[in-house]
Amino acid sequence: MIKGLGLTTVWTLDQERTKNFFTEKLGLVVRTDMAMGDMRWITVGAKDQPELEMALMRPDGPGMDPESAKALTELVSKGVIGAGAFRTDDCRGDYEAFKAKGVEFLQEPQERPYGIEAIFRDDNGNWYSLTQRSEELDLSKSWA
């Protein structure tokens, strides 16, 4: 029986730069950083959510054929991959703090039926939602 999601992948063209983005700009913590033969295994996660890690993976790593690695590198480079949503209890405050650290936002905090949401990119162009959830859906607010 599945008990939850434990690991998700974030594609990066530079693992060190991406590790620094998530730790220095967003305040995540490094869970693992070790060499495994020709590859480097790095995971980060939220300090208060130890059960979920984000693996910072290079598209040209093991298990990826050259054609797929090239296609994935192109998609990451174009910034078209949405990589998930981070929850916060202060979307507007985190927006200001992250923006001051140089995080690129595609959308300022906006009221949505499910809460307040901002959209940002990581150092590779992957985009994320930063969401402060409301307790109830408010369908009078715009979805977009």
Side-chain angles (χ1 to χ4, degrees), residues 96-115:
E96 293 297 336
F98 296 161
K99 191 173 176 184
K101 292 180 179 179
V103 175
E104 176 192 2
F105 277 85
L106 303 174
Q107 174 194 295
E108 295 179 1
Q110 302 286 319
E111 298 282 338
R112 299 285 182 238
Y114 44 85

Side-chain angles (χ1 to χ4, degrees), residues 12-31:
T12 175
L13 304 179
D14 183 327
Q15 289 177 299
E16 185 67 24
R17 186 187 70 206
T18 300
K19 180 182 84 172
N20 292 339
F21 175 86
F22 283 111
T23 58
E24 295 172 9
K25 294 189 177 186
L26 301 186
L28 301 184
V29 295
V30 174
R31 300 274 173 69

Side-chain angles (χ1 to χ4, degrees), residues 27-62:
L28 301 184
V29 295
V30 174
R31 300 274 173 69
T32 308
D33 187 349
M34 59 187 254
M36 297 176 62
D38 292 338
M39 71 173 272
R40 186 173 172 193
W41 178 252
I42 303 174
T43 66
V44 297
K47 178 181 169 191
D48 295 330
Q49 190 184 25
E51 69 277 6
L52 180 59
E53 298 178 80
M54 297 168 42
L56 311 181
M57 301 292 291
R58 293 179 48 93
D60 59 350

Side-chain angles (χ1 to χ4, degrees), residues 7 10 121 128 138:
L7 181 72
V10 172
R121 290 187 188 278
Y128 304 82
D138 181 352

